[in-house]
């Protein structure tokens, strides 16, 4: 089973700041890496698929990069609605696994 | 519009059985996998398993193999997750999700004596 680790566990930032979230896989997932956002009481929402492709309707301030084992989600300028938990997910192998999440909270 | 609508919250006792559902609409149900994700209180997301409704091919995550059963009924475009004997550790939010990136609203399962 491919294990994903995310860092940091918590990121405390102010609106307007840049957020950089990391995800590392225990073995190569090529580019089969997705990012989700989850807010309390809601289902996860897909932000990025195949490492760098924004899902439909996702604002341009969200971008993804990386390949192999190291990936990054960048939020260029945090909006108030961006404070949430972010999960990476590998889709290279079954079972698809999620990372433990990074909580982006308001500083 | 693709939609997944899950059955309502459940409160059960240990040892009881349970079957929760996820009704799909807006797409060709047999042609795309659908699966279940567990989220325990305050914790992250775990894929439990998926089913391809067209041929009922089912895959389980090793952690959930033998613990739950995933099924689908193509005549009513509905997927199911069932337990034969619930444990308190099964208390969680359960989401269905499909290959088209749609998610259900979640079903809260509480198992307590």
């Amino acid at each position: 089973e491919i294990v994903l680790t995310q860092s940091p566990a918590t990121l405390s930032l102010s609106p307007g700041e840049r957020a950089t979230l990391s995800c590392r896989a225990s073995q190569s997932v090529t580019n089969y890496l997705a990012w989700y956002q989850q807010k309390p009481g809601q289902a996860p929402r897909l932000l990025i698929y195949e490492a760098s492709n924004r899902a439909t309707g996702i604002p341009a301030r969200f971008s993804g990069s990386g390949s192999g084992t190291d990936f990054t989600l960048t939020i260029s300028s945090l909006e108030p609605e961006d404070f949430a938990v972010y999960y990476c997910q590998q889709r290279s192998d079954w079972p698809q696994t999620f990372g433990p999440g990074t909580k982006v909270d308001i500083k | 519009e693709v939609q997944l609508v899950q059955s309502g919250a459940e409160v059960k006792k240990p040892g009881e059985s349970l079957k929760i559902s996820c009704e799909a609409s807006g797409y060709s149900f047999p042609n795309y996998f659908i699966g279940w994700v567990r989220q325990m209180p305050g914790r992250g997301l775990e894929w439990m398993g998926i089913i391809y409704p067209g041929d009922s091919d089912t895959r389980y995550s090793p952690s959930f193999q033998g613990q739950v059963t995933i099924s689908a009924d193509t005549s009513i475009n509905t997927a199911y997750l069932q337990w034969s004997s619930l444990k308190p550790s099964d208390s969680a939010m359960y989401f269905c999700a499909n290959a088209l990136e749609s998610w259900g609203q979640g079903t809260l399962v509480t198992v307590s004596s």
Side-chain angles (χ1 to χ4, degrees):
Chain A
E1 179 172 309
I2 297 174
V3 177
L4 299 180
T5 55
Q6 292 186 243
S7 61
T10 304
L11 197 52
S12 297
L13 294 168
S14 300
E17 289 195 292
R18 181 183 188 91
T20 303
L21 288 66
S22 294
C23 176
R24 176 164 288 178
S26 59
Q27 63 191 75
S28 176
V29 298
T30 60
N31 70 330
Y32 293 112
L33 195 287
W35 290 93
Y36 287 85
Q37 176 194 69
Q38 189 180 31
K39 297 179 181 178
Q42 296 185 16
R45 177 174 72 143
L46 179 69
L47 301 175
I48 302 287
Y49 65 95
E50 292 176 4
S52 60
N53 297 292
R54 272 190 302 277
T56 303
I58 301 304
R61 64 181 181 273
F62 291 92
S63 63
S65 63
S67 65
T69 60
D70 291 291
F71 300 87
T72 301
L73 174 70
T74 302
I75 310 171
S76 59
S77 178
L78 283 163
E79 296 288 339
E81 62 267 27
D82 299 336
F83 292 93
V85 180
Y86 292 83
Y87 296 96
C88 58
Q89 179 207 26
Q90 65 81 18
R91 300 169 168 193
S92 173
D93 195 19
W94 181 258
Q96 295 182 0
T97 46
F98 291 93
T102 291
K103 183 177 183 179
V104 179
D105 65 15
I106 300 176
K107 188 173 180 181
Chain B
E1 179 196 5
V2 177
Q3 247 188 328
L4 300 177
V5 178
Q6 297 184 227
S7 50
E10 302 274 1
V11 179
K12 291 289 193 179
K13 295 189 184 327
E16 291 186 331
S17 63
L18 176 63
K19 191 174 190 177
I20 62 175
S21 66
C22 172
E23 183 178 358
S25 61
Y27 72 101
S28 179
F29 182 71
N31 292 346
Y32 299 91
F33 77 74
I34 188 165
W36 293 91
V37 174
R38 183 177 78 174
Q39 188 166 39
M40 299 179 77
R43 306 294 293 275
L45 304 165
E46 303 169 271
W47 266 106
M48 302 174 72
I50 59 173
I51 186 167
Y52 292 82
D55 62 6
S56 296
D57 181 27
T58 309
R59 304 181 189 184
Y60 293 94
S61 171
S63 300
F64 295 95
Q65 180 81 49
Q67 308 304 308
V68 296
T69 301
I70 294 171
S71 60
D73 185 341
T74 55
S75 68
I76 55 172
N77 291 351
T78 300
Y80 300 97
L81 175 66
Q82 68 181 88
W83 296 260
S84 58
S85 181
L86 287 160
K87 302 183 281 288
S89 57
D90 293 318
S91 297
M93 181 70 81
Y94 294 87
F95 295 100
C96 61
N98 69 11
L100 299 174
E101 300 297 348
S102 289
W103 288 65
Q105 81 277 20
T107 296
L108 182 64
V109 174
T110 303
V111 184
S112 174
S113 54

